[in-house]
Amino acid sequence: MPGALIEPRLSPHVRVVDDRARGGHALLGPETVVRLVGSAAEILALCDGRALGAIEAELAARHPEVDVAADVRALLGRLARRGWVRGFPPSEASPTRRPTRAPRYGPPQVLLAELTHRCPLRCGYCSNPTELSPRADELDGATWRRVIEEATALGVLQAHLSGGEPLLRRDLEALVAAARDGGAYTNLITSAHGLDDARLDALADAGLDHVQISLQHVDAKAADAIAGVPAHAGKLRAAETVRARGLALSLNVVLHRGSIDRVEDFVGLAERLGAQRLELASMKLHGFARANRAALLPTEAQVASASEIASAARDRLAGSLDVIFVHPDHFRAHPTRCMDGWGHRFVVVAPDGRALPCPGAYALPLDFDHVRERSLAEIWAGEAFAAYRGTEFLGEPCASCERREVDLGGCRCQAFALTGHAARTDPACRLSPDHDAIERAKSSPADRLVHLRLPRA
């Protein structure tokens, strides 16, 4: 039987769920939602260890009018390339990525729960706002559980528990359990400072799926200098413990002038730690990072070299390590759309209970609703989330640009930070009348990095 020696299985770090809010099924993985169309869910349901030939024979019997073998192998090859299917050879090449239109407005897919602004680290590129919520203003556990329940009932499939440092919340395990009980894929976004074996066991027992650990550098001395505290060695120990417990592991690196030349070393470290994902992210020019941009922004040559190295690593490691390189807006001809569309997929709840479409939206002149006063469904349909949803708010040059449905004018927070007007074209776009603001930022001389002062535990 063809394919008898190939036995594809879903990775233990992904699962297929019934997407009740949107209809159909979705594949959930670390920070991933993939809508399954056509026969995709039916194919994946058969990937339970049986031979490929048996899968194809079963589907052929169900659908004799269709050439199922081509569909099965194409789907499994694509998913194997991302590490979501095991026991099947990954596709040899990534599909060409074309600009896509923003998703239509519908139920939110992702909840980013910023549980606290307290953090033991003081990273100078922190994207949190410069005005941080004190501990006294944080939502209590009962309110957070209600918010999570409302989110999953509304259609959220990914729950990101973040901060600050979410490990400082003593009720973190209960919040993980609430998200998992609602059917969401649960992600802990952490510095891992203080993530010991006992805490990780408790979180895993509560239903934690995935841990994303931030890394400041590959060298301990440099990493600790950026973090402002000696944390690097503990992060590596925590990463090893995460893998030993069988949880999905991602490493997140904010690339800046002092780290971007070490992309190859970050890839090697992720391989040694057995991570599933390596996210090489680029700093945005808002939040506390904006105050330090002169000391942080890499050069265009650095970005080009890092992008090339990351691309080669992605191809080489397809199926074992998903290498994601987030190209910085300030070296692109066109901006990326804000949070995959303002008010389209993400809902962010701040430590004090404000609900926002984006974690950088604190500074925008909008009256953001509070989860203590309104339900998440009301907030999602409210004025603040509708303010920059779609393209109707855009003026020129976006209004007549053929890319307006692709990038939606770019990042609202970056536009506001650099121009003072959230509705303007993101200055990262080469067509923006404010593009010189990006050029000035890129040419700023290096300066001393200022560490962030955060609320303490």
Side-chain angles (χ1 to χ4, degrees), residues 116-133 163-165 225-229 286-292 296 448-456:
T116 181
H117 276 155
R118 292 173 286 145
C119 185
L121 274 56
R122 300 184 289 116
C123 305
Y125 54 65
C126 183
S127 60
N128 277 327
T130 53
E131 296 294 330
L132 299 168
S133 299
E165 178 46 68
I226 293 167
V229 296
H286 57 77
F288 201 85
R290 183 168 181 253
N292 276 322
L296 293 171
R448 182 174 62 88
L449 187 69
V450 178
H451 283 109
L452 181 59
R453 297 293 179 182
L454 290 170
R456 291 298 178 177

Side-chain angles (χ1 to χ4, degrees), residues 136-264:
D137 291 344
E138 292 177 9
L139 297 180
D140 61 26
T143 304
W144 269 120
R145 289 193 296 275
R146 175 179 60 77
V147 168
I148 291 169
E149 290 166 3
E150 289 179 354
T152 54
L154 194 56
V156 160
L157 298 172
Q158 288 274 341
H160 299 307
L161 305 176
S162 180
E165 178 46 68
L167 291 170
L168 294 174
R169 292 281 306 216
R170 295 180 180 178
D171 57 356
L172 179 59
E173 289 81 357
L175 304 184
V176 169
R180 185 62 184 263
D181 289 347
Y185 197 91
T186 55
N187 307 274
L188 175 64
I189 301 176
T190 176
S191 70
H193 195 60
L195 183 59
D196 58 22
D197 291 9
R199 192 73 192 276
L200 189 58
D201 285 343
L203 290 166
D205 289 344
L208 185 64
D209 291 303
H210 166 234
V211 180
Q212 182 196 102
I213 297 177
S214 63
L215 291 181
Q216 283 67 38
H217 209 280
V218 288
D219 295 328
K221 184 176 180 180
D224 292 344
I226 293 167
V229 296
H232 186 71
K235 289 171 178 284
L236 299 187
R237 286 194 299 272
E240 292 170 351
T241 303
V242 169
R243 293 294 296 122
R245 296 299 188 277
L247 299 176
L249 171 66
S250 291
L251 302 180
N252 177 271
V253 180
V254 176
L255 296 177
H256 52 84
R257 186 177 301 163
S259 66
I260 195 169
D261 293 330
R262 304 295 297 274
V263 164
E264 190 168 2

Side-chain angles (χ1 to χ4, degrees), residues 432-453:
S432 166
D434 306 300
H435 188 59
D436 62 325
I438 288 286
E439 295 302 319
R440 288 196 303 272
K442 285 160 55 176
S443 61
S444 297
D447 199 358
R448 182 174 62 88
L449 187 69
V450 178
H451 283 109
L452 181 59
R453 297 293 179 182

Side-chain angles (χ1 to χ4, degrees), residues 94-442:
S94 300
T96 302
R97 293 192 176 186
R98 297 184 176 88
T100 56
R101 293 182 179 274
R104 294 183 180 276
Y105 165 58
Q109 284 189 353
V110 182
L111 168 68
L112 175 57
E114 296 184 330
L115 303 179
T116 181
H117 276 155
R118 292 173 286 145
C119 185
L121 274 56
R122 300 184 289 116
C123 305
Y125 54 65
C126 183
S127 60
N128 277 327
T130 53
E131 296 294 330
L132 299 168
S133 299
R135 182 176 185 176
D137 291 344
E138 292 177 9
L139 297 180
D140 61 26
T143 304
W144 269 120
R145 289 193 296 275
R146 175 179 60 77
V147 168
I148 291 169
E149 290 166 3
E150 289 179 354
T152 54
L154 194 56
V156 160
L157 298 172
Q158 288 274 341
H160 299 307
L161 305 176
S162 180
E165 178 46 68
L167 291 170
L168 294 174
R169 292 281 306 216
R170 295 180 180 178
D171 57 356
L172 179 59
E173 289 81 357
L175 304 184
V176 169
R180 185 62 184 263
D181 289 347
Y185 197 91
T186 55
N187 307 274
L188 175 64
I189 301 176
T190 176
S191 70
H193 195 60
L195 183 59
D196 58 22
D197 291 9
R199 192 73 192 276
L200 189 58
D201 285 343
L203 290 166
D205 289 344
L208 185 64
D209 291 303
H210 166 234
V211 180
Q212 182 196 102
I213 297 177
S214 63
L215 291 181
Q216 283 67 38
H217 209 280
V218 288
D219 295 328
K221 184 176 180 180
D224 292 344
I226 293 167
V229 296
H232 186 71
K235 289 171 178 284
L236 299 187
R237 286 194 299 272
E240 292 170 351
T241 303
V242 169
R243 293 294 296 122
R245 296 299 188 277
L247 299 176
L249 171 66
S250 291
L251 302 180
N252 177 271
V253 180
V254 176
L255 296 177
H256 52 84
R257 186 177 301 163
S259 66
I260 195 169
D261 293 330
R262 304 295 297 274
V263 164
E264 190 168 2
D265 295 323
F266 280 117
V267 172
L269 178 59
E271 287 184 85
R272 291 193 297 276
L273 291 173
Q276 281 74 48
R277 294 174 71 256
L278 171 63
E279 184 174 342
L280 300 163
S282 297
M283 55 170 284
K284 288 281 190 179
L285 295 182
H286 57 77
F288 201 85
R290 183 168 181 253
N292 276 322
R293 65 189 184 277
L296 293 171
L297 279 174
T299 67
E300 190 163 7
Q302 284 180 306
V303 171
S305 176
S307 177
E308 184 177 344
I309 293 169
S311 179
R314 182 173 60 247
D315 291 340
R316 177 175 63 85
L317 297 168
S320 60
L321 175 64
D322 194 10
V323 180
I324 302 163
F325 183 81
V326 182
H327 203 284
D329 285 351
H330 39 283
F331 293 116
R332 296 170 64 100
H334 303 288
T336 54
R337 58 191 181 220
C338 181
M339 298 294 288
D340 206 17
W342 172 284
H344 281 78
R345 294 184 64 233
F346 287 82
V347 57
V348 180
V349 179
D352 64 2
R354 283 175 292 173
L356 311 100
C358 166
Y362 292 90
L364 270 59
L366 291 172
D367 186 13
F368 291 110
D369 290 312
H370 201 291
V371 297
R372 289 192 180 102
E373 300 166 357
R374 303 186 71 188
S375 72
L376 214 54
E378 292 174 311
I379 292 171
W380 183 252
E383 292 182 4
F385 275 74
Y388 304 117
R389 186 179 276 149
T391 59
E392 291 184 3
F393 70 91
L394 289 170
E396 295 296 346
C398 292
S400 58
C401 180
E402 62 181 9
R403 290 183 53 87
R404 66 183 180 278
E405 295 289 347
V406 175
D407 56 41
L408 306 178
C411 176
R412 298 301 93 219
C413 302
Q414 190 159 263
F416 181 76
L418 295 178
T419 74
H421 300 281
R424 286 181 72 83
T425 300
D426 186 341
C429 180
R430 61 179 175 81
L431 300 177
S432 166
D434 306 300
H435 188 59
D436 62 325
I438 288 286
E439 295 302 319
R440 288 196 303 272
K442 285 160 55 176

